[in-house]
Amino acid sequence: MADLITAGRAATKSDGTQPVVLLEQVTRDFGESVITRVLKGIDFRLETGEFTALTGPSGSGKSTLLNLIGLLDRATSGRVCLDGVDTAGLDDTALTRLRGRSIGFVFQFHHLLPAFTAVENVMLPGIARDGRPSEALRKQAEQMLVRMGMADRLRFKPGQLSGGQQQRVAIARALCLGPKLILADEPTGNLDTAASDQVFDLMRQINREEHAAFLVVTHDPSIAARCDRVVELVDGNIVSDRAPVRA
Amino acid sequence: MPFEWFVALRYLREGRIQTVLILLGVSTGVGVIIFLSALITGLQSSLIENTLGSQAHVVVRPPEEMPRLLHDGRVEGTDPAAVARGLAPGEDALAVRLEKPAQRLRSINQWPQVMRDIEKVNGVTAVSPLVAGSAFVTRGEATRSVALRGIDPERFTRIIDMPSRMATGVFRVEGTEAVIGTGLAMDLGVRIGDRIRVLTAEGRTDVFTIAGIFDLQNKGVNDSWVLVSLKSAQNLLDLSGGISAIEMRVEKIFAAESIAQSVARRTGLIAESWMALNGQLLVGLRSQSSSSTMIQAFVVVAVALGIASVLVVWVVQKNREIGILRAFGTTRRQILRVFLIQGLLLGAAGWIVGVGIGTVLSLIFASLATNPDGSPTFPVNLSAQLFLGTFAMALSVGLLSATAPARRAAALDPAEAIHHG
Ligand SMILES: Nc1ncnc2c1ncn2[C@@H]1O[C@H](COP(=O)(O)OP(=O)(O)OP(=O)(O)O)[C@@H](O)[C@H]1O
Ligand SMILES: [Mg+2]
C-alpha cells in the first residue's frame, strides 16, 4: 500500500500541485449481458478549496461520478486519485478508512439515522473512526451544529426536524471530521427556495472558512451560478467546464 | 462504549417490535428448556433416589454353585469337565438332567480380606458385610415370612443412612435387638420394646426386642426386612463366622456397573450393580432423556430460525442506513460486529427472561402436587449447571442465527444501498 501511495504522489508531482481529486480516463460500465457505458472516459481535477457545481440532464451520470470520487464504487477503467493517493490498489477496508478520513457526504434526502439524535448523527462518523464516543467528539459535533444554526435542536431526533433542519444536520455530519472534500448530491433538491438558499450559504461559508473542496450536484441554475466553477456532464462526457455565467 | 455496542444497543432500543418478538422467542425457548430439563432431571433423580434409598449400589455374592449333573440317578461331581462331557451331543441316550443345587447359604471365602480389597477400588465409598436369608417371624397368632438381614450397623449406615430414616425408636441391633420396617410392624401389630420370635429353615430360633422401626419408602422393604446383628443372623442361618454378601456404595452412581465388573474380575465373585438389577428403570430413564434432548433440539432450531428471520428483515429495512454508515467510514467488520452483538445481546436478554419463565413454571409445577410430608410429588431440579448450560446455548444461538444477517449487512454495496435503499 505504501508503494501505491508514493506511486500516486509521484504521478501528481510532475505538475507541481496536488489536487484533492484527480480522475484520468475514468469509465464506468453497468450491466452484465447488455453493458452500458455510463461514464465514457472522464478527466477531471478538483483543487483544494474549490467550490464546483456538477450539472447535467437526468441520467447523464452525475451520481455515478460522485460515487466513484466518493470511493463508494470502483471505476471500470481509468485512475481515481484522492488527495494524491491512487485508489486502485486499496482493499475495501483501506478505501473505507480513506473515505471516512477525507470525504464528507451530503445527500438529496438527508439520510440521517432516525434512531439517533442530531448530535449523535453528527458524531457517528467520528465514533466509527475512533472506535468509541468521546467528549471531544461531542463538543466538536455540538459546535458544528451551532454553526449550522441548530443550537436549540441538539437532542432532537431527525423525525422531529424540518427538511431544511435535517439537511443542516446532514451537512454538520459531513463536515464534523474536517474532510478535505465534500460531495453533495442535490443537497437542496428537496427544499424550498428559502431553505435551499440557507443551506447553500452555509456550505459556502464552510468552504471559505475551512478551505474544503466542494463538488455539488445541482439542477438549479441559480445555485450553479453562485459556485466557482461549473462542470456539465452530458451522456457520460464532460461537455463544458468553466466559470459560472453570472445572472 | 465501543462504536459497535453503541449502534447495536440503539437499534435494539429503537426496533421495539422486532426486539420484543425475538426476546419472546428466545425467552420462551429458554423457559421451555429449563422447565423440561428441571422436571425430567428432577423426576429421574427422585426415581433413582427412591430406588437407591433402600438398595446398595453394588452387591457382591459368592459364585453360584456349579449345576450338578445327574444321570441314571447317580450323582456326578461338580467337576466342570464332567459337566462338559455330560452335555456333549450324542450322549443324549442317557437320561441327563441338570439340577440347580439346593439354595444352601454359602459364605464368601475369607471375606474380611475381600472386603479390605474391595474398599481400595477406586470410586468405592463404603462397603458393608451382610448375612441374608429367609426366615419367619411370629408374634402371637401372626406369622410372616421375612428377609432376615444381619448387618454391621456402623458400616451399613454408610450404605443406607438408617438413623435418618427411622419412623420411631433408634437404629440399634446390639445383642438381641432388631429393627424392622413400618409395614411389618403394622402387620404384626408390634411397637418399640415388643418381642418377636424369628425362625429359620435351618430350624433355629431366637427372640428379639424391637429397638426401632424404619421407613425406607419402599413397600417391599418395609414389609419384609428384619435387621439384626451380624452374629445373630450368622447363628440363625447356620453361617457361623461367614457372610453371604458384601454391599457397596460408590461415589458416582452411574459408575456402579463398571466398578461392579472390575470387582468381579478382581475377586472372582459375582458383583451386581443397581444398574444391572434395575435394567427396566435404566431403559426408561434413557429413553426419557433422549426424547427430552430431541424436544430441546427442536426448540433450539425453532428459536434460531426465528431470530435469523427477524434479523434478516431488520437488515433489509436498514439497508440504506447501513450504506450511510459505510459511506461515513464504517468498515464491513464493524457492521458485521454490530449485528453479531445484537444477536448476542438478544440471546443474553432472552436468557434472563427465560430463566425467570422456566423457574416460575417449574416452581408452580412442583407446588401443584405434594406428598403428605410436604415434599413435591413431581420434584424439579433447577441446577446451576442447567442455568449455565442454557446461558451458553442462548448466547451461541443468538450469535449463530445473527451470522447470516450480519454477513448480509456487511456485504452490502454502499452506493447501491444509499441510492436504492
Ligand atoms: N447500479 C446501476 N446499475 C445499472 N445501471 C445504473 C446503475 N446506477 C446508475 N445506472 C445508470 O447510469 C445512468 C446514470 O445514472 P446516474 O444516477 O448517475 O444519473 P444522474 O446524472 O445522477 O441522474 P439524476 O439527475 O436523475 O440523479 C442511468 O442511465 C442509470 O440507469
Ligand atoms: Mg443523481
Side-chain angles (χ1 to χ4, degrees):
Chain A
M1 207 177 92
D3 289 349
L4 285 163
I5 292 171
T6 42
R9 290 239 158 86
T12 55
K13 275 239 169 88
S14 53
D15 61 353
T17 56
Q18 187 171 288
V20 179
V21 178
L22 176 68
L23 303 186
E24 286 176 1
Q25 282 303 308
V26 167
T27 66
R28 179 65 170 102
D29 297 345
F30 284 114
E32 270 149 32
S33 50
V34 186
I35 293 172
T36 341
R37 177 148 291 191
V38 173
L39 296 179
K40 299 170 178 167
I42 304 282
D43 288 308
F44 177 70
R45 290 172 74 105
L46 189 66
E47 306 294 339
T48 306
E50 251 189 321
F51 200 106
T52 300
L54 181 60
T55 63
S58 182
S60 56
K62 302 183 296 293
S63 296
T64 307
L65 184 60
L66 226 57
N67 285 344
L68 287 180
I69 295 172
L71 310 181
L72 293 172
D73 192 12
R74 282 185 193 266
T76 305
S77 71
R79 250 163 41 108
V80 176
C81 298
L82 192 76
D83 201 20
V85 178
D86 190 333
T87 59
L90 303 184
D91 67 7
D92 187 78
T93 309
L95 278 183
T96 305
R97 294 256 156 78
L98 183 58
R99 181 165 70 226
R101 210 166 55 226
S102 35
I103 307 174
F105 294 89
V106 183
F107 305 99
Q108 174 174 5
F109 303 97
H110 59 83
H111 290 342
L112 298 173
L113 305 197
F116 297 84
T117 64
V119 176
E120 288 167 341
N121 264 286
V122 176
M123 287 171 74
L124 268 174
I127 302 176
R129 179 195 63 186
D130 300 348
R132 61 193 63 247
S134 63
E135 257 329 288
L137 275 177
R138 179 170 292 275
K139 281 249 167 59
Q140 221 173 314
E142 284 175 356
Q143 277 167 10
M144 197 49 85
L145 280 168
V146 170
R147 274 171 83 179
M148 294 294 136
M150 296 290 294
D152 53 346
R153 298 280 191 279
L154 297 180
R155 305 278 178 276
F156 282 46
K157 294 235 172 126
Q160 300 166 310
L161 300 172
S162 74
Q165 290 169 336
Q166 289 172 341
Q167 203 57 307
R168 283 187 270 160
V169 175
I171 292 169
R173 176 178 61 181
L175 295 172
C176 190
L177 295 182
K180 291 205 170 70
L181 170 65
I182 286 132
L183 301 174
D185 198 344
E186 303 186 48
T188 59
N190 209 30
L191 304 176
D192 63 27
T193 319
S196 164
D197 282 350
Q198 202 179 14
V199 164
F200 185 80
D201 290 344
L202 277 170
M203 295 206 298
R204 281 253 53 164
Q205 186 194 331
I206 295 293
N207 165 245
R208 272 194 305 274
E209 289 168 8
E210 314 274 329
H211 300 288
F214 276 71
L215 184 58
V216 182
V217 174
T218 182
H219 286 287
D220 184 341
S222 77
I223 290 220
R226 286 144 77 190
C227 297
D228 299 334
R229 176 182 165 198
V230 179
V231 173
E232 192 180 357
L233 198 63
V234 175
D235 198 18
N237 289 304
I238 294 182
V239 296
S240 84
D241 185 347
R242 54 181 166 76
V245 186
R246 308 271 170 184
Chain B
M1 190 191 333
F3 168 78
E4 291 88 340
W5 286 83
F6 180 62
V7 176
L9 278 171
R10 184 61 59 88
Y11 275 177
L12 287 179
R13 215 176 73 195
E14 293 296 309
R16 286 193 195 97
I17 297 173
Q18 279 106 326
T19 304
V20 166
L21 274 180
I22 295 181
L23 279 183
L24 265 181
V26 178
S27 51
T28 310
V30 169
V32 164
I33 287 176
I34 286 183
F35 174 58
L36 205 67
S37 301
L39 187 65
I40 285 187
T41 49
L43 276 178
Q44 294 201 340
S45 57
S46 93
L47 272 175
I48 292 172
E49 228 167 78
N50 279 348
T51 305
L52 296 183
S54 56
Q55 198 176 338
H57 296 169
V58 179
V59 179
V60 181
R61 295 188 282 111
E64 306 243 338
E65 267 177 48
M66 277 296 172
R68 284 181 293 183
L69 184 68
L70 308 175
H71 45 135
D72 279 343
R74 283 212 317 273
V75 179
E76 289 261 359
T78 54
D79 173 19
V83 175
R85 225 187 307 125
L87 283 170
E91 277 192 47
D92 50 4
L94 292 166
V96 174
R97 64 195 170 94
L98 285 171
E99 187 177 81
K100 268 198 137 185
Q103 287 297 312
R104 187 164 59 83
L105 265 186
R106 302 210 309 149
S107 174
I108 294 175
N109 276 335
Q110 313 204 312
W111 63 267
Q113 180 59 42
V114 173
M115 222 166 73
R116 274 196 296 277
D117 287 349
I118 295 176
E119 230 167 357
K120 286 189 210 116
V121 173
N122 248 346
V124 176
T125 55
V127 297
S128 172
L130 173 69
V131 178
S134 46
F136 292 98
V137 168
T138 60
R139 154 99 181 159
E141 295 293 286
T143 301
R144 292 286 178 274
S145 138
V146 299
L148 181 67
R149 294 168 70 89
I151 52 165
D152 171 338
E154 223 170 87
R155 283 180 171 274
F156 186 63
T157 295
R158 277 184 263 143
I159 304 285
I160 298 174
D161 185 26
M162 294 305 294
S164 73
R165 315 198 47 180
M166 301 305 293
T168 50
V170 292
F171 177 63
R172 208 173 57 213
V173 292
E174 277 161 34
T176 58
E177 285 173 320
V179 171
I180 64 174
T182 47
L184 185 60
M186 186 102 76
D187 261 6
L188 297 171
V190 294
R191 284 190 241 164
I192 306 298
D194 287 351
R195 283 155 192 265
I196 52 173
R197 174 174 292 278
V198 175
L199 185 85
T200 62
E202 282 73 14
R204 305 192 177 192
T205 178
D206 206 343
V207 173
F208 293 90
T209 311
I210 308 287
I213 296 171
F214 63 77
D215 178 7
L216 287 183
Q217 253 132 38
N218 176 323
K219 182 163 163 46
V221 169
N222 286 349
D223 285 356
S224 69
W225 277 14
V226 174
L227 301 177
V228 298
S229 71
L230 216 49
K231 198 170 208 89
S232 305
Q234 283 168 342
N235 278 335
L236 282 166
L237 294 168
D238 190 16
L239 205 68
S240 144
I243 61 167
S244 56
I246 298 171
E247 296 191 308
M248 302 163 48
R249 191 175 176 85
V250 297
E251 205 178 329
K252 299 202 180 76
I253 54 172
F254 286 100
E257 179 55 31
S258 70
I259 289 176
Q261 281 170 14
S262 87
V263 165
R265 259 198 319 276
R266 215 180 267 216
T267 60
L269 302 169
I270 291 177
E272 286 174 311
S273 70
W274 69 273
M275 297 158 84
L277 293 170
N278 299 274
Q280 284 296 98
L281 174 69
L282 233 60
V283 170
L285 294 182
R286 287 219 178 91
S287 54
Q288 208 177 39
S289 294
S290 56
S291 59
S292 125
T293 306
M294 212 155 77
I295 293 172
Q296 295 184 14
F298 280 124
V299 170
V300 168
V301 169
V303 168
L305 289 178
I307 300 181
S309 56
V310 176
L311 280 183
V312 164
V313 172
W314 206 335
V315 167
V316 171
Q317 285 177 346
K318 295 239 176 296
N319 266 4
R320 178 169 277 142
E321 291 184 36
I322 294 164
I324 309 254
L325 284 170
R326 299 271 291 117
F328 284 105
T330 308
T331 59
R332 290 190 192 282
R333 233 165 227 293
Q334 285 176 310
I335 297 288
L336 186 78
R337 272 188 238 128
V338 165
F339 283 89
L340 291 182
I341 287 170
Q342 288 196 23
L344 271 183
L345 286 174
L346 287 166
W351 174 78
I352 293 173
V353 181
V355 163
I357 295 176
T359 306
V360 167
L361 267 183
S362 303
L363 295 181
I364 289 177
F365 193 80
S367 70
L368 279 184
T370 49
N371 294 327
D373 63 359
S375 65
T377 312
F378 302 106
V380 293
N381 187 352
L382 290 162
S383 61
Q385 200 189 345
L386 179 58
F387 291 140
L388 287 180
T390 48
F391 184 60
M393 187 214 74
L395 287 194
S396 18
V397 167
L399 198 59
L400 282 179
S401 46
T403 304
R407 281 169 172 238
R408 205 195 140 112
L412 276 183
D413 174 30
E416 191 102 345
I418 292 168
H419 292 283
H420 308 287

